[in-house]
Amino acid sequence: MRLSKLKVRNFRCFGPEETTIEFDKLTAFIGCNSSGKTAFIHALLKIFGETAFDHSLQRSDFHVPKGKAPEEISENNLHIEAVFTFPELEKGDNSYSIPIFFKSFVVDDVGLPLYLRIRLEASWKKSSSPDGSIESKVYYITASEEEDIRDEDKKPASRHDLSHIKTIYVPAIRNPAEQLRNVSGTILSRVLNGINWSDDTKESLKDKIREVDAVFDQETGVDMLKKAVKNQWKNYHSDYRYTDATMKFNSTDLDTILKKVEVKFSPTETTRDYNVEELGDGLRSLFYLSLVNSLLDIENSIMKESEEKKEGDRLSFNITPPVLTIVAVEEPENHISPQLNDIKATLKSEGGDGSTYSEKQKALMVWYNYFFLNRGKPSTHRLALSLINMDEINKSLPKPLKRIVNAIEDALKDDPYSAVGEINEDK
């Protein structure tokens, strides 16, 4: 299964004319600021993000036409549609995605490949609320792309089904400390909360916690402090509930321990280990990418373990990985470009010569500077152009890249807000 197209209309910088973006196994977008590169990613997140915040729509998500003030608009609507193809069906390979989406497949004619259409439709209306009222719905579209969409062609898509497709967004400004917190939606929480902890491990942890507390209690000062806190609390609180205030120097259960998990880096130029917040900006960016890489590696391991599982075997994780993971990386700086190869390596299939990308994981990269494209070596290039000529946004850049860089550079120097047309490979 792979993402083949994204269609957007009236979403952020994309206007009333529907814009179609085609994807390959590894696709890069390049262009000036405000040309729609990040909007592509957020369009995917509105349908396939992991948190409610990702899915939520704001007034600012609805396109405001050039020359028109927002207060002049009383209502607006948008749609975002993702089209998926299934190359594994043509190869006769097994796929976890087929049973999930089979009833919503579309085929244009006998003998042609099956595909899947998932579409978000939303409307905004001015109301007594300052932000207006927004309604949205996600559908499977069962009509062919060549046909007009009727109401009977729209089949509601459940959030449970949509969760089988995941978009991981690696922003341009990266703060790995946020992803190391074990809270909903973070990379760490996806893994830690999915571990299949054994009862023996939980009981052993409780015993060790009691042992650590006993060591602290041997200190006279600690014992005095604990008694003072406990006794003074009773002077202020007489209810039978919450009567006992006991100071603990260690976590009391597994969940509490997991919330305090942290990564330490050593050796350092000092006598102590560093946490991630003490690293430089460049190293923090790299570690963020490595966290994403770790998650992809774990997902591959879970799938492999599940396939090899025998009756009676205990799985290491109690979660089911998504059938498709889309990794969207914003890459504004040159100094981390080479490390993107690590993510690309994880995205590669384990079988064969490793030259093809996994059908479960695809990558989308966004560059602010086209000179860095050669480092990422994407299989497809898309030139994101300005708002003035958004109908030209889907121009494909032919290979080899070196032959066209100078031509693009000259065109952007002459007019950085104009559309750059196709450049023939032999010119």
Side-chain angles (χ1 to χ4, degrees):
M1 179 180 184
R2 76 175 183 88
L3 175 67
S4 63
K5 295 178 187 176
L6 185 67
K7 304 175 183 179
V8 290
R9 176 184 174 275
N10 268 347
F11 179 71
R12 298 195 179 182
C13 61
F14 296 98
E17 292 295 324
E18 184 181 81
T19 299
T20 300
I21 305 104
E22 297 185 358
F23 293 85
D24 209 325
K25 296 173 182 178
L26 177 62
T27 303
F29 295 102
I30 58 176
C32 302
N33 290 332
S34 301
S35 59
K37 303 180 301 299
T38 302
F40 295 154
I41 298 175
H42 283 278
L44 286 170
L45 289 173
K46 295 303 175 186
I47 309 178
F48 306 114
E50 287 200 289
T51 66
F53 178 78
D54 290 335
H55 307 148
S56 65
L57 286 164
Q58 311 296 326
R59 171 68 183 94
S60 56
D61 289 322
F62 291 81
H63 178 74
V64 177
K66 184 180 178 181
K68 201 164 189 178
E71 55 270 18
E72 298 179 56
I73 303 174
S74 59
E75 60 181 282
N76 206 343
N77 57 75
L78 64 79
H79 72 246
I80 301 167
E81 180 179 326
V83 181
F84 298 90
T85 56
F86 299 83
E88 63 269 33
L89 287 177
E90 300 176 25
K91 301 175 184 177
D93 297 336
N94 293 327
S95 173
Y96 295 96
S97 59
I98 304 303
I100 299 170
F101 301 112
F102 179 77
K103 292 182 179 180
S104 304
F105 280 172
V106 179
V107 62
D108 291 337
D109 204 345
V110 177
L112 295 179
L114 298 169
Y115 58 94
L116 176 70
R117 300 177 67 185
I118 300 178
R119 183 182 178 100
L120 166 67
E121 294 185 352
S123 63
W124 173 88
K125 289 185 178 181
K126 185 179 290 187
S127 69
S128 56
S129 169
D131 294 327
S133 59
I134 296 175
E135 295 184 4
S136 63
K137 191 78 175 179
V138 181
Y139 301 97
Y140 294 115
I141 303 300
T142 56
S144 165
E145 287 188 275
E146 305 300 323
E147 300 172 347
D148 293 333
I149 300 174
R150 303 166 299 175
D151 288 342
E152 52 265 39
D153 298 324
K154 299 177 183 179
K155 174 184 172 185
S158 70
R159 182 48 59 186
H160 177 267
D161 283 355
L162 296 175
S163 69
H164 291 289
I165 303 172
K166 177 176 66 179
T167 297
I168 298 178
Y169 174 36
V170 182
I173 300 175
R174 293 155 192 162
N175 184 7
E178 293 180 355
Q179 296 300 325
L180 288 175
R181 298 190 185 104
N182 187 18
V183 295
S184 177
T186 65
I187 292 175
L188 193 64
S189 70
R190 298 170 199 164
V191 179
L192 284 178
N193 295 328
I195 294 176
N196 195 11
W197 301 97
S198 68
D199 292 337
D200 289 343
T201 297
K202 294 178 181 179
E203 288 301 318
S204 178
L205 282 172
K206 290 180 180 179
D207 293 339
K208 297 300 180 183
I209 289 170
R210 286 191 287 267
E211 290 179 15
V212 171
D213 282 333
V215 172
F216 277 99
D217 290 342
Q218 293 175 7
E219 289 292 332
T220 305
V222 170
D223 185 56
M224 292 172 61
L225 177 60
K226 292 178 72 172
K227 287 180 179 178
V229 170
K230 188 173 185 176
N231 293 335
Q232 289 301 320
W233 173 241
K234 289 181 178 179
N235 293 334
Y236 284 86
H237 181 71
S238 58
D239 196 311
Y240 73 93
R241 297 172 300 170
Y242 324 119
T243 303
D244 192 9
T246 304
M247 182 176 289
K248 296 288 184 180
F249 286 86
N250 202 8
S251 301
T252 56
D253 52 42
L254 178 60
D255 289 338
T256 308
I257 291 174
L258 294 181
K259 289 179 181 178
K260 297 180 179 179
V261 168
E262 60 181 349
V263 176
K264 291 291 187 178
F265 297 85
S266 63
T268 69
E269 58 271 25
T270 67
T271 57
R272 64 178 180 82
D273 297 341
Y274 281 0
N275 60 41
V276 69
E277 292 175 333
E278 295 176 284
L279 299 179
D281 290 345
L283 287 178
R284 286 202 300 270
S285 289
L286 295 182
F287 186 65
Y288 197 117
L289 292 175
S290 76
L291 275 178
V292 174
N293 206 67
S294 301
L295 176 62
L296 299 178
D297 187 51
I298 288 293
E299 287 182 354
N300 287 335
S301 298
I302 292 173
M303 297 298 292
K304 186 176 181 181
E305 185 182 51
S306 178
E307 292 169 357
E308 298 175 352
K309 179 180 178 294
K310 298 178 182 178
E311 187 175 352
D313 288 348
R314 181 174 170 276
L315 295 175
S316 302
F317 290 83
N318 55 19
I319 56 176
T320 302
V323 296
L324 177 65
T325 299
I326 302 167
V327 182
V329 182
E330 272 193 300
E331 166 58 348
E333 299 177 63
N334 187 29
H335 73 279
I336 59 174
S337 296
Q339 281 69 29
L340 293 174
N341 289 326
D342 294 334
I343 283 186
K344 289 167 60 182
T346 301
L347 290 167
K348 295 288 184 74
S349 300
E350 294 182 3
D353 59 1
S355 61
T356 58
Y357 286 85
S358 167
E359 292 304 326
K360 301 182 186 68
Q361 298 161 342
K362 302 299 179 190
L364 164 64
M365 296 185 184
V366 173
W367 272 270
Y368 286 95
N369 191 322
Y370 54 84
F371 288 111
F372 304 150
L373 265 173
N374 205 31
R375 291 205 178 204
K377 292 182 170 46
S379 52
T380 302
H381 314 86
R382 297 286 182 263
L383 181 60
L385 302 174
S386 72
L387 301 181
I388 299 174
N389 289 290
M390 289 307 295
D391 58 323
E392 298 287 339
I393 202 165
N394 194 33
K395 294 294 184 182
S396 295
L397 303 184
K399 295 181 179 179
L401 182 63
K402 289 183 179 179
R403 297 182 184 177
I404 63 171
V405 165
N406 290 335
I408 297 175
E409 181 186 18
D410 292 340
L412 292 176
K413 282 181 178 178
D414 292 338
D415 185 356
Y417 296 101
S418 66
V420 177
E422 289 190 8
I423 303 170
N424 294 329
E425 199 170 309
D426 58 348
K427 292 186 179 179

PDB file of all heavy atoms in Angstrom, residues 185-213:
ATOM      1  N   GLY A 185       0.574  10.685  22.308  1.00  0.00           N
ATOM      2  CA  GLY A 185       0.979  11.264  21.036  1.00  0.00           C
ATOM      3  C   GLY A 185       2.471  11.364  20.832  1.00  0.00           C
ATOM      4  O   GLY A 185       2.912  11.657  19.725  1.00  0.00           O
ATOM      5  N   THR A 186       3.277  11.129  21.862  1.00  0.00           N
ATOM      6  CA  THR A 186       4.715  11.227  21.695  1.00  0.00           C
ATOM      7  C   THR A 186       5.280   9.898  21.192  1.00  0.00           C
ATOM      8  O   THR A 186       4.653   8.844  21.327  1.00  0.00           O
ATOM      9  CB  THR A 186       5.417  11.599  23.012  1.00  0.00           C
ATOM     10  OG1 THR A 186       5.234  10.542  23.962  1.00  0.00           O
ATOM     11  CG2 THR A 186       4.852  12.891  23.579  1.00  0.00           C
ATOM     12  N   ILE A 187       6.466   9.976  20.625  1.00  0.00           N
ATOM     13  CA  ILE A 187       7.111   8.772  20.112  1.00  0.00           C
ATOM     14  C   ILE A 187       7.342   7.765  21.233  1.00  0.00           C
ATOM     15  O   ILE A 187       7.110   6.563  21.077  1.00  0.00           O
ATOM     16  CB  ILE A 187       8.438   9.137  19.415  1.00  0.00           C
ATOM     17  CG1 ILE A 187       8.161   9.936  18.139  1.00  0.00           C
ATOM     18  CG2 ILE A 187       9.255   7.891  19.091  1.00  0.00           C
ATOM     19  CD1 ILE A 187       9.402  10.447  17.443  1.00  0.00           C
ATOM     20  N   LEU A 188       7.802   8.250  22.393  1.00  0.00           N
ATOM     21  CA  LEU A 188       8.105   7.355  23.502  1.00  0.00           C
ATOM     22  C   LEU A 188       6.854   6.648  24.015  1.00  0.00           C
ATOM     23  O   LEU A 188       6.884   5.451  24.330  1.00  0.00           O
ATOM     24  CB  LEU A 188       8.766   8.138  24.634  1.00  0.00           C
ATOM     25  CG  LEU A 188       9.415   7.296  25.738  1.00  0.00           C
ATOM     26  CD1 LEU A 188      10.572   6.482  25.185  1.00  0.00           C
ATOM     27  CD2 LEU A 188       9.891   8.180  26.878  1.00  0.00           C
ATOM     28  N   SER A 189       5.738   7.374  24.079  1.00  0.00           N
ATOM     29  CA  SER A 189       4.517   6.766  24.608  1.00  0.00           C
ATOM     30  C   SER A 189       4.019   5.644  23.707  1.00  0.00           C
ATOM     31  O   SER A 189       3.466   4.652  24.188  1.00  0.00           O
ATOM     32  CB  SER A 189       3.422   7.825  24.786  1.00  0.00           C
ATOM     33  OG  SER A 189       2.944   8.276  23.535  1.00  0.00           O
ATOM     34  N   ARG A 190       4.195   5.794  22.394  1.00  0.00           N
ATOM     35  CA  ARG A 190       3.744   4.755  21.464  1.00  0.00           C
ATOM     36  C   ARG A 190       4.436   3.430  21.746  1.00  0.00           C
ATOM     37  O   ARG A 190       3.837   2.359  21.611  1.00  0.00           O
ATOM     38  CB  ARG A 190       4.029   5.176  20.024  1.00  0.00           C
ATOM     39  CG  ARG A 190       3.313   6.423  19.570  1.00  0.00           C
ATOM     40  CD  ARG A 190       3.838   6.895  18.234  1.00  0.00           C
ATOM     41  NE  ARG A 190       3.512   8.297  17.992  1.00  0.00           N
ATOM     42  CZ  ARG A 190       4.076   9.043  17.076  1.00  0.00           C
ATOM     43  NH1 ARG A 190       5.014   8.533  16.298  1.00  0.00           N
ATOM     44  NH2 ARG A 190       3.736  10.300  16.921  1.00  0.00           N
ATOM     45  N   VAL A 191       5.694   3.514  22.142  1.00  0.00           N
ATOM     46  CA  VAL A 191       6.470   2.290  22.352  1.00  0.00           C
ATOM     47  C   VAL A 191       6.318   1.766  23.780  1.00  0.00           C
ATOM     48  O   VAL A 191       5.976   0.604  23.993  1.00  0.00           O
ATOM     49  CB  VAL A 191       7.960   2.538  22.035  1.00  0.00           C
ATOM     50  CG1 VAL A 191       8.762   1.270  22.276  1.00  0.00           C
ATOM     51  CG2 VAL A 191       8.130   3.009  20.591  1.00  0.00           C
ATOM     52  N   LEU A 192       6.560   2.629  24.771  1.00  0.00           N
ATOM     53  CA  LEU A 192       6.538   2.181  26.167  1.00  0.00           C
ATOM     54  C   LEU A 192       5.176   1.626  26.571  1.00  0.00           C
ATOM     55  O   LEU A 192       5.086   0.586  27.229  1.00  0.00           O
ATOM     56  CB  LEU A 192       6.920   3.329  27.099  1.00  0.00           C
ATOM     57  CG  LEU A 192       8.398   3.703  27.157  1.00  0.00           C
ATOM     58  CD1 LEU A 192       8.606   4.893  28.089  1.00  0.00           C
ATOM     59  CD2 LEU A 192       9.248   2.529  27.644  1.00  0.00           C
ATOM     60  N   ASN A 193       4.115   2.314  26.183  1.00  0.00           N
ATOM     61  CA  ASN A 193       2.783   1.875  26.578  1.00  0.00           C
ATOM     62  C   ASN A 193       2.311   0.658  25.791  1.00  0.00           C
ATOM     63  O   ASN A 193       1.283   0.072  26.116  1.00  0.00           O
ATOM     64  CB  ASN A 193       1.773   3.017  26.409  1.00  0.00           C
ATOM     65  CG  ASN A 193       2.073   4.178  27.342  1.00  0.00           C
ATOM     66  OD1 ASN A 193       2.576   3.979  28.433  1.00  0.00           O
ATOM     67  ND2 ASN A 193       1.785   5.393  26.910  1.00  0.00           N
ATOM     68  N   GLY A 194       3.054   0.301  24.761  1.00  0.00           N
ATOM     69  CA  GLY A 194       2.699  -0.884  23.990  1.00  0.00           C
ATOM     70  C   GLY A 194       3.460  -2.130  24.390  1.00  0.00           C
ATOM     71  O   GLY A 194       3.201  -3.221  23.878  1.00  0.00           O
ATOM     72  N   ILE A 195       4.434  -1.987  25.317  1.00  0.00           N
ATOM     73  CA  ILE A 195       5.203  -3.153  25.760  1.00  0.00           C
ATOM     74  C   ILE A 195       4.305  -4.094  26.555  1.00  0.00           C
ATOM     75  O   ILE A 195       3.518  -3.666  27.404  1.00  0.00           O
ATOM     76  CB  ILE A 195       6.415  -2.723  26.614  1.00  0.00           C
ATOM     77  CG1 ILE A 195       7.415  -1.945  25.750  1.00  0.00           C
ATOM     78  CG2 ILE A 195       7.095  -3.933  27.246  1.00  0.00           C
ATOM     79  CD1 ILE A 195       8.607  -1.399  26.509  1.00  0.00           C
ATOM     80  N   ASN A 196       4.420  -5.359  26.306  1.00  0.00           N
ATOM     81  CA  ASN A 196       3.614  -6.373  26.989  1.00  0.00           C
ATOM     82  C   ASN A 196       4.317  -6.764  28.296  1.00  0.00           C
ATOM     83  O   ASN A 196       4.992  -7.785  28.373  1.00  0.00           O
ATOM     84  CB  ASN A 196       3.436  -7.588  26.071  1.00  0.00           C
ATOM     85  CG  ASN A 196       2.339  -8.510  26.546  1.00  0.00           C
ATOM     86  OD1 ASN A 196       1.565  -8.167  27.432  1.00  0.00           O
ATOM     87  ND2 ASN A 196       2.257  -9.688  25.949  1.00  0.00           N
ATOM     88  N   TRP A 197       4.154  -5.920  29.317  1.00  0.00           N
ATOM     89  CA  TRP A 197       4.849  -6.151  30.588  1.00  0.00           C
ATOM     90  C   TRP A 197       4.307  -7.406  31.268  1.00  0.00           C
ATOM     91  O   TRP A 197       3.107  -7.591  31.397  1.00  0.00           O
ATOM     92  CB  TRP A 197       4.660  -4.948  31.523  1.00  0.00           C
ATOM     93  CG  TRP A 197       5.165  -3.655  30.961  1.00  0.00           C
ATOM     94  CD1 TRP A 197       4.439  -2.699  30.330  1.00  0.00           C
ATOM     95  CD2 TRP A 197       6.518  -3.194  30.973  1.00  0.00           C
ATOM     96  NE1 TRP A 197       5.245  -1.660  29.939  1.00  0.00           N
ATOM     97  CE2 TRP A 197       6.527  -1.932  30.323  1.00  0.00           C
ATOM     98  CE3 TRP A 197       7.720  -3.700  31.464  1.00  0.00           C
ATOM     99  CZ2 TRP A 197       7.679  -1.185  30.158  1.00  0.00           C
ATOM    100  CZ3 TRP A 197       8.868  -2.957  31.303  1.00  0.00           C
ATOM    101  CH2 TRP A 197       8.851  -1.724  30.662  1.00  0.00           C
ATOM    102  N   SER A 198       5.200  -8.245  31.754  1.00  0.00           N
ATOM    103  CA  SER A 198       4.792  -9.474  32.433  1.00  0.00           C
ATOM    104  C   SER A 198       4.447  -9.168  33.890  1.00  0.00           C
ATOM    105  O   SER A 198       4.929  -8.193  34.476  1.00  0.00           O
ATOM    106  CB  SER A 198       5.911 -10.514  32.376  1.00  0.00           C
ATOM    107  OG  SER A 198       7.022 -10.095  33.157  1.00  0.00           O
ATOM    108  N   ASP A 199       3.617 -10.021  34.500  1.00  0.00           N
ATOM    109  CA  ASP A 199       3.248  -9.852  35.913  1.00  0.00           C
ATOM    110  C   ASP A 199       4.475 -10.006  36.806  1.00  0.00           C
ATOM    111  O   ASP A 199       4.590  -9.325  37.833  1.00  0.00           O
ATOM    112  CB  ASP A 199       2.188 -10.876  36.303  1.00  0.00           C
ATOM    113  CG  ASP A 199       0.851 -10.606  35.613  1.00  0.00           C
ATOM    114  OD1 ASP A 199       0.620  -9.441  35.215  1.00  0.00           O
ATOM    115  OD2 ASP A 199       0.060 -11.551  35.463  1.00  0.00           O
ATOM    116  N   ASP A 200       5.390 -10.890  36.411  1.00  0.00           N
ATOM    117  CA  ASP A 200       6.612 -11.085  37.210  1.00  0.00           C
ATOM    118  C   ASP A 200       7.440  -9.806  37.256  1.00  0.00           C
ATOM    119  O   ASP A 200       7.992  -9.445  38.300  1.00  0.00           O
ATOM    120  CB  ASP A 200       7.452 -12.223  36.619  1.00  0.00           C
ATOM    121  CG  ASP A 200       6.811 -13.581  36.839  1.00  0.00           C
ATOM    122  OD1 ASP A 200       5.915 -13.670  37.707  1.00  0.00           O
ATOM    123  OD2 ASP A 200       7.187 -14.541  36.139  1.00  0.00           O
ATOM    124  N   THR A 201       7.524  -9.115  36.115  1.00  0.00           N
ATOM    125  CA  THR A 201       8.283  -7.867  36.068  1.00  0.00           C
ATOM    126  C   THR A 201       7.650  -6.820  36.971  1.00  0.00           C
ATOM    127  O   THR A 201       8.338  -6.106  37.710  1.00  0.00           O
ATOM    128  CB  THR A 201       8.348  -7.334  34.628  1.00  0.00           C
ATOM    129  OG1 THR A 201       9.050  -8.275  33.810  1.00  0.00           O
ATOM    130  CG2 THR A 201       9.076  -6.000  34.570  1.00  0.00           C
ATOM    131  N   LYS A 202       6.327  -6.711  36.950  1.00  0.00           N
ATOM    132  CA  LYS A 202       5.629  -5.722  37.770  1.00  0.00           C
ATOM    133  C   LYS A 202       5.842  -5.984  39.256  1.00  0.00           C
ATOM    134  O   LYS A 202       6.080  -5.058  40.045  1.00  0.00           O
ATOM    135  CB  LYS A 202       4.138  -5.733  37.434  1.00  0.00           C
ATOM    136  CG  LYS A 202       3.812  -5.258  36.024  1.00  0.00           C
ATOM    137  CD  LYS A 202       2.320  -5.343  35.741  1.00  0.00           C
ATOM    138  CE  LYS A 202       2.004  -4.900  34.313  1.00  0.00           C
ATOM    139  NZ  LYS A 202       0.558  -5.012  34.017  1.00  0.00           N
ATOM    140  N   GLU A 203       5.752  -7.258  39.663  1.00  0.00           N
ATOM    141  CA  GLU A 203       5.950  -7.595  41.080  1.00  0.00           C
ATOM    142  C   GLU A 203       7.394  -7.370  41.504  1.00  0.00           C
ATOM    143  O   GLU A 203       7.667  -6.891  42.612  1.00  0.00           O
ATOM    144  CB  GLU A 203       5.549  -9.052  41.325  1.00  0.00           C
ATOM    145  CG  GLU A 203       4.059  -9.307  41.266  1.00  0.00           C
ATOM    146  CD  GLU A 203       3.292  -8.473  42.283  1.00  0.00           C
ATOM    147  OE1 GLU A 203       3.765  -8.347  43.434  1.00  0.00           O
ATOM    148  OE2 GLU A 203       2.238  -7.933  41.916  1.00  0.00           O
ATOM    149  N   SER A 204       8.317  -7.708  40.613  1.00  0.00           N
ATOM    150  CA  SER A 204       9.736  -7.507  40.926  1.00  0.00           C
ATOM    151  C   SER A 204      10.042  -6.026  41.107  1.00  0.00           C
ATOM    152  O   SER A 204      10.819  -5.649  41.998  1.00  0.00           O
ATOM    153  CB  SER A 204      10.600  -8.098  39.808  1.00  0.00           C
ATOM    154  OG  SER A 204      11.965  -7.884  40.060  1.00  0.00           O
ATOM    155  N   LEU A 205       9.444  -5.179  40.286  1.00  0.00           N
ATOM    156  CA  LEU A 205       9.655  -3.734  40.407  1.00  0.00           C
ATOM    157  C   LEU A 205       9.144  -3.206  41.750  1.00  0.00           C
ATOM    158  O   LEU A 205       9.790  -2.363  42.391  1.00  0.00           O
ATOM    159  CB  LEU A 205       8.954  -3.003  39.267  1.00  0.00           C
ATOM    160  CG  LEU A 205       9.662  -3.024  37.915  1.00  0.00           C
ATOM    161  CD1 LEU A 205       8.763  -2.443  36.833  1.00  0.00           C
ATOM    162  CD2 LEU A 205      10.960  -2.233  37.977  1.00  0.00           C
ATOM    163  N   LYS A 206       7.996  -3.708  42.204  1.00  0.00           N
ATOM    164  CA  LYS A 206       7.459  -3.274  43.493  1.00  0.00           C
ATOM    165  C   LYS A 206       8.422  -3.626  44.621  1.00  0.00           C
ATOM    166  O   LYS A 206       8.635  -2.835  45.549  1.00  0.00           O
ATOM    167  CB  LYS A 206       6.094  -3.924  43.740  1.00  0.00           C
ATOM    168  CG  LYS A 206       4.995  -3.392  42.838  1.00  0.00           C
ATOM    169  CD  LYS A 206       3.672  -4.088  43.144  1.00  0.00           C
ATOM    170  CE  LYS A 206       2.568  -3.547  42.235  1.00  0.00           C
ATOM    171  NZ  LYS A 206       1.268  -4.239  42.500  1.00  0.00           N
ATOM    172  N   ASP A 207       9.003  -4.834  44.551  1.00  0.00           N
ATOM    173  CA  ASP A 207       9.964  -5.253  45.584  1.00  0.00           C
ATOM    174  C   ASP A 207      11.191  -4.347  45.576  1.00  0.00           C
ATOM    175  O   ASP A 207      11.693  -3.938  46.636  1.00  0.00           O
ATOM    176  CB  ASP A 207      10.386  -6.706  45.353  1.00  0.00           C
ATOM    177  CG  ASP A 207       9.242  -7.691  45.582  1.00  0.00           C
ATOM    178  OD1 ASP A 207       8.277  -7.313  46.285  1.00  0.00           O
ATOM    179  OD2 ASP A 207       9.302  -8.810  45.037  1.00  0.00           O
ATOM    180  N   LYS A 208      11.682  -4.020  44.382  1.00  0.00           N
ATOM    181  CA  LYS A 208      12.878  -3.171  44.278  1.00  0.00           C
ATOM    182  C   LYS A 208      12.594  -1.754  44.775  1.00  0.00           C
ATOM    183  O   LYS A 208      13.451  -1.113  45.385  1.00  0.00           O
ATOM    184  CB  LYS A 208      13.372  -3.136  42.835  1.00  0.00           C
ATOM    185  CG  LYS A 208      13.813  -4.494  42.285  1.00  0.00           C
ATOM    186  CD  LYS A 208      14.959  -5.082  43.101  1.00  0.00           C
ATOM    187  CE  LYS A 208      15.378  -6.433  42.528  1.00  0.00           C
ATOM    188  NZ  LYS A 208      16.447  -7.057  43.360  1.00  0.00           N
ATOM    189  N   ILE A 209      11.394  -1.259  44.512  1.00  0.00           N
ATOM    190  CA  ILE A 209      11.015   0.084  44.969  1.00  0.00           C
ATOM    191  C   ILE A 209      11.034   0.136  46.489  1.00  0.00           C
ATOM    192  O   ILE A 209      11.529   1.094  47.104  1.00  0.00           O
ATOM    193  CB  ILE A 209       9.625   0.463  44.418  1.00  0.00           C
ATOM    194  CG1 ILE A 209       9.708   0.717  42.908  1.00  0.00           C
ATOM    195  CG2 ILE A 209       9.071   1.695  45.137  1.00  0.00           C
ATOM    196  CD1 ILE A 209       8.354   0.869  42.236  1.00  0.00           C
ATOM    197  N   ARG A 210      10.490  -0.920  47.137  1.00  0.00           N
ATOM    198  CA  ARG A 210      10.494  -0.971  48.601  1.00  0.00           C
ATOM    199  C   ARG A 210      11.919  -1.023  49.151  1.00  0.00           C
ATOM    200  O   ARG A 210      12.231  -0.416  50.182  1.00  0.00           O
ATOM    201  CB  ARG A 210       9.681  -2.170  49.079  1.00  0.00           C
ATOM    202  CG  ARG A 210       8.173  -1.980  48.937  1.00  0.00           C
ATOM    203  CD  ARG A 210       7.412  -3.064  49.664  1.00  0.00           C
ATOM    204  NE  ARG A 210       7.487  -4.333  48.954  1.00  0.00           N
ATOM    205  CZ  ARG A 210       6.578  -4.741  48.060  1.00  0.00           C
ATOM    206  NH1 ARG A 210       5.536  -3.964  47.789  1.00  0.00           N
ATOM    207  NH2 ARG A 210       6.707  -5.898  47.464  1.00  0.00           N
ATOM    208  N   GLU A 211      12.791  -1.737  48.440  1.00  0.00           N
ATOM    209  CA  GLU A 211      14.185  -1.821  48.869  1.00  0.00           C
ATOM    210  C   GLU A 211      14.874  -0.454  48.809  1.00  0.00           C
ATOM    211  O   GLU A 211      15.625  -0.080  49.717  1.00  0.00           O
ATOM    212  CB  GLU A 211      14.945  -2.828  47.999  1.00  0.00           C
ATOM    213  CG  GLU A 211      14.549  -4.273  48.224  1.00  0.00           C
ATOM    214  CD  GLU A 211      15.307  -5.223  47.313  1.00  0.00           C
ATOM    215  OE1 GLU A 211      16.331  -4.779  46.728  1.00  0.00           O
ATOM    216  OE2 GLU A 211      14.894  -6.384  47.167  1.00  0.00           O
ATOM    217  N   VAL A 212      14.615   0.302  47.741  1.00  0.00           N
ATOM    218  CA  VAL A 212      15.223   1.628  47.603  1.00  0.00           C
ATOM    219  C   VAL A 212      14.718   2.564  48.700  1.00  0.00           C
ATOM    220  O   VAL A 212      15.495   3.315  49.313  1.00  0.00           O
ATOM    221  CB  VAL A 212      14.911   2.211  46.211  1.00  0.00           C
ATOM    222  CG1 VAL A 212      15.350   3.670  46.123  1.00  0.00           C
ATOM    223  CG2 VAL A 212      15.598   1.400  45.123  1.00  0.00           C
ATOM    224  N   ASP A 213      13.418   2.525  48.981  1.00  0.00           N
ATOM    225  CA  ASP A 213      12.866   3.369  50.047  1.00  0.00           C
ATOM    226  C   ASP A 213      13.479   3.018  51.396  1.00  0.00           C
ATOM    227  O   ASP A 213      13.726   3.894  52.230  1.00  0.00           O
ATOM    228  CB  ASP A 213      11.340   3.218  50.101  1.00  0.00           C
ATOM    229  CG  ASP A 213      10.644   4.004  49.009  1.00  0.00           C
ATOM    230  OD1 ASP A 213      11.217   5.013  48.561  1.00  0.00           O
ATOM    231  OD2 ASP A 213       9.544   3.612  48.591  1.00  0.00           O
TER     232      ASP A 213
END
